[in-house]
DNA sequence: TTGTACGCGTTATCAA
DNA sequence: TTGATAACGCGTACAA
């Protein structure tokens, strides 16, 4: 298993290494005759291009990084698929890392990318990432696209969803169904996404002349369990609440549990809207009406933008905010599309 | 943003580049005094190690590839998390690619890994991958671990689950609940996993003196929709069937739909066991009893094995078959653990 | 088309 | 014992 080098191929073809290199990359003007000789030699020798040598010479690479905090989350799985597809289209290799919300792992990954001369990265930063992280990143001068988690730093490109509009749509839907006492459940207090979603929620209420009740806006951890716990206490205390906009689908699922525990049936005695459009939303009963954020599209757009930056696009940083869509299923007591109609349900293992 | 090289650091510290290199990697014998001088110079200069140069010189790298066919599938998301975690522990970078069942994309990825001198790979090959693909891979002489999809090639390491034992457990459970007329639903006819699962199913029936009825063993596509369609036709034709082992959870969810459509309630009039233990299993009603295949653990084990191969482990190829576990929920009319108890439900977006 | 210097860290050899 | 020198890995780009 000896590695064949350009020079060896060149010798075999009776030309110089430079010529072979140009043939390989379709550069320069090579006569048809020699080109064919070279191609034959390449084929015969079983030559494997050494990208490492090329990268060293070019001080660059064709490798980009993707940092997530939880790849097991279906939302990020979708996003990764979108990004991966886009990267392959441009012959870029994708490094994946899972920070698991650890700032240290996150830093290690970025450092590692730098050592490997990655040509760009897509980041969904860990919670509570210090500003110093982003400052250091800017100094690196390497294209970096932020995704999903909004960042208050105008120097970075960002691709995400319109949290504000999303909850506006959700809230309007509930108002149109006749609800007036609506709660907002979920999210952690220091989340930027949450601020935006609450903004959409309260502004829509106010447009209809309803004053938001701050006691009815509660935060939870990002789990079904905590969603259930918090919702139970909220709804026991304020039985007059008849509907809720949830920060995430996962929290909405918890609220469903809580409702049943206190003897109220979601979709009949209580209306519920989630956010994210995860696969599970369409599977529970009643199927959860939710705001879809087009995870795959976020990945695709991030990839497209990153690629343009790598190509040298020097335009000012962009914020690409994808429009959300309200997926109306059953949890608000009204079924526009049957739960079995979702494309999301066509998944499988193996 | 000029790149600092080893030589520049060396000059700054008043030593040679060789010395700095040795300090960086803790090799050779360097006096404490010079070591400290070098470390200081490294720190002051903001030096970034050039892994590419090192890789070129060493004819190796610290990069491994992971090939999947569907990263959006929760099962593979879990597996990826397990592998990613293991890779980070060993300072290896993980390339991810999604073949989407395309042999061409798969080949492109592997070729790309070769050009980049990846030091190993983990593959869940696309369906209908030709033997030539695996033959070519062997000639490359690079550590490759196969996962999940069983491969009839003793030359490759394999990490997966015990499909045979898994359906044996599922089938036994149904038999113990008193069922005699049991169907097997799902899987595509040319799947190796499916053969193994059917083996576990029929052998368990035979042990109890029940002859498997081949009309009750049907294949479906890997989607909820097709599962529902096939199940409806099967159960209409053979109403005497009272239980089913499903090839996948996703198919089991489809069977549930079909049951309701023909007026039978899963968990009460019909017992159902799935396979995979995907998140959705615990969320549907009744919660689906399923065979858990420890996706994360498969990833972790594959990573561990791959790392040992990279380190030079020359033992004969291994087949690591992880034991499945029967997760008994509600779909067989018996609830040992409440559906809300699953750790799987603690997920969230953002 | 080709010769050749170059990108940068590594390691074997040699000097002190 | 400690550290320096120089050849080397392999593809690229510019001058000839």
């Amino acid at each position: 298993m000896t590695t064949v080098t350009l020079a060896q191929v060149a010798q075999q073809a009776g030309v110089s290494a430079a010529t072979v290199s140009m043939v390989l990359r379709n550069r320069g003007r090579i006569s048809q005759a020699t080109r064919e000789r070279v191609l034959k030699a390449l084929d015969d020798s079983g030559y494997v291009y050494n990208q490492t040598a090329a990268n060293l010479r070019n001080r660059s690479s064709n490798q980009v990084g993707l940092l997530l905090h939880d790849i097991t989350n279906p939302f990020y799985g979708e996003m990764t698929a979108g990004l991966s597809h886009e990267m392959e289209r441009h012959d870029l290799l994708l490094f994946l890392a899972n920070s698991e919300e650890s700032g240290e792992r996150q830093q290690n990954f970025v450092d590692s990318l730098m050592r490997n001369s990655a040509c760009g990265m897509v980041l969904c930063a860990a919670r509570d990432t210090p500003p110093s992280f982003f400052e250091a990143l800017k100094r690196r001068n390497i294209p970096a696209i932020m995704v999903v988690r909004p960042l208050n730093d105008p120097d970075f490109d960002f691709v995400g969803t319109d949290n504000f509009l999303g909850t506006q749509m959700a809230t309007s839907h509930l108002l149109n169904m006749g609800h007036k006492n609506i709660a907002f459940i979920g999210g952690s207090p220091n989340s930027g996404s949450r601020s935006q979603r609450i903004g959409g929620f309260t502004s829509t209420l106010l447009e209809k002349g309803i004053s938001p009740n701050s006691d009815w806006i509660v935060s939870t951890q990002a789990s079904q369990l905590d969603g259930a716990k918090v919702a139970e206490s909220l709804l026991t205390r304020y039985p007059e609440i008849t509907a809720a906009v949830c920060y995430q689908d996962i929290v909405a699922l918890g609220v469903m549990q809580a409702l049943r525990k206190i003897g109220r049936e979601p979709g009949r005695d209580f209306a519920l809207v989630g956010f994210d459009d995860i696969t599970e939303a369409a599977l529970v009963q009643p199927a959860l009406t939710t705001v879809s954020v087009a995870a795959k599209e976020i990945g695709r757009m991030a990839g497209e933008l990153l690629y343009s930056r790598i190509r040298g696009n020097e335009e000012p940083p962009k914020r690409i905010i994808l429009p959300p869509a309200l997926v109306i299923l059953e949890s608000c007591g009204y079924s526009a599309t049957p739960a079995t109609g979702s494309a999301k349900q066509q998944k499988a293992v193996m």
Side-chain angles (χ1 to χ4, degrees), chain A:
Chain A
M1 199 64 198
T2 51
T3 46
V4 182
T5 71
L6 256 195
Q8 290 167 26
V9 175
Q11 191 174 20
Q12 198 170 323
V15 296
S16 76
T19 305
V20 180
S21 177
M22 309 196 96
V23 169
L24 272 177
R25 291 169 303 131
N26 280 315
R27 295 274 185 80
R29 301 154 303 282
I30 310 283
S31 76
Q32 192 56 30
T34 49
R35 147 165 280 120
E36 275 166 17
R37 245 195 355 227
V38 170
L39 287 175
K40 179 161 173 7
L42 281 169
D43 205 42
D44 292 348
S45 62
Y47 171 73
V48 174
Y49 185 74
N50 187 328
Q51 187 81 57
T52 307
N55 288 347
L56 174 60
R57 181 66 241 225
N58 296 333
R59 301 145 152 269
S60 76
S61 83
N62 59 335
Q63 306 170 347
V64 306
L66 169 63
L67 176 86
L68 300 174
H69 50 89
D70 183 11
I71 178 66
T72 70
N73 186 309
F75 176 87
Y76 290 106
E78 292 277 347
M79 200 193 78
T80 303
L83 178 63
S84 167
H85 195 94
E86 192 65 17
M87 295 297 90
E88 274 173 51
R89 252 168 38 81
H90 298 299
D91 280 314
L92 292 171
L93 276 169
L94 187 66
F95 284 126
L96 174 74
N98 213 18
S99 74
E100 301 173 18
E101 300 288 9
S102 149
E104 188 187 342
R105 298 172 86 87
Q106 171 171 279
Q107 188 64 58
N108 283 342
F109 182 57
V110 173
D111 290 347
S112 197
L113 291 179
M114 298 313 301
R115 284 196 295 274
N116 286 272
S117 348
C119 58
M121 58 181 92
V122 174
L123 304 179
C124 182
R127 217 175 255 319
D128 304 321
T129 298
S132 59
F133 173 83
F134 297 104
E135 293 306 320
L137 201 52
K138 283 184 213 172
R139 267 179 264 121
R140 300 293 197 185
N141 223 29
I142 166 180
I145 316 284
M146 302 295 151
V147 289
V148 184
R149 288 182 169 170
L151 181 66
N152 280 330
D153 187 327
D155 294 339
F156 284 105
D157 286 313
F158 174 80
V159 181
T161 196
D162 194 331
N163 288 303
F164 188 84
L165 182 55
T167 45
Q168 278 196 320
M169 295 165 75
T171 311
S172 286
H173 182 63
L174 291 173
L175 289 169
N176 290 339
M177 306 286 292
H179 294 277
K180 291 193 163 34
N181 298 342
I182 309 175
F184 183 97
I185 304 176
S188 76
N190 59 346
S191 152
S193 294
R194 184 173 188 256
S195 303
Q196 298 177 341
R197 293 185 192 178
I198 287 179
F201 172 67
T202 54
S203 68
T204 306
L205 290 181
L206 287 166
E207 276 172 19
K208 296 273 179 173
I210 298 175
S211 300
N213 182 338
S214 68
D215 292 340
W216 296 357
I217 297 179
V218 294
S219 65
T220 72
Q221 288 170 31
S223 77
Q224 187 168 344
L225 197 68
D226 200 51
K229 224 162 54 186
V230 170
E232 185 182 347
S233 122
L234 176 73
L235 299 179
T236 307
R237 185 121 141 235
Y238 303 105
E240 65 269 35
I241 298 175
T242 63
V245 172
C246 297
Y247 178 68
Q248 297 160 307
D249 286 347
I250 200 82
V251 167
L253 297 178
V255 175
M256 278 195 187
Q257 281 181 237
L259 284 167
R260 293 204 167 102
K261 189 164 171 197
I262 61 176
R264 299 175 74 173
E265 181 60 21
R268 197 188 61 198
D269 312 324
F270 197 96
L272 211 50
V273 184
F275 207 112
D276 281 350
D277 193 22
I278 61 177
T279 310
E280 289 87 337
L283 294 172
V284 292
Q285 281 155 4
L288 182 65
T289 289
T290 182
V291 177
S292 173
V293 297
K296 209 167 229 162
E297 191 59 16
I298 291 179
R300 203 178 345 250
M301 294 296 285
E304 206 172 280
L305 181 53
L306 180 60
Y307 184 67
S308 83
R309 294 300 184 195
I310 291 170
R311 298 266 92 178
N313 175 346
E314 294 280 8
E315 296 169 22
K318 281 185 191 171
R319 292 181 67 78
I320 298 180
I321 309 296
L322 298 175
L326 189 64
V327 179
I328 299 176
L329 298 182
E330 305 165 339
S331 64
C332 299
Y334 173 80
S335 174
T337 57
T340 55
S342 169
K344 283 277 188 83
Q345 296 184 14
Q346 310 207 10
K347 296 250 184 87
V349 161
M350 301 204 176

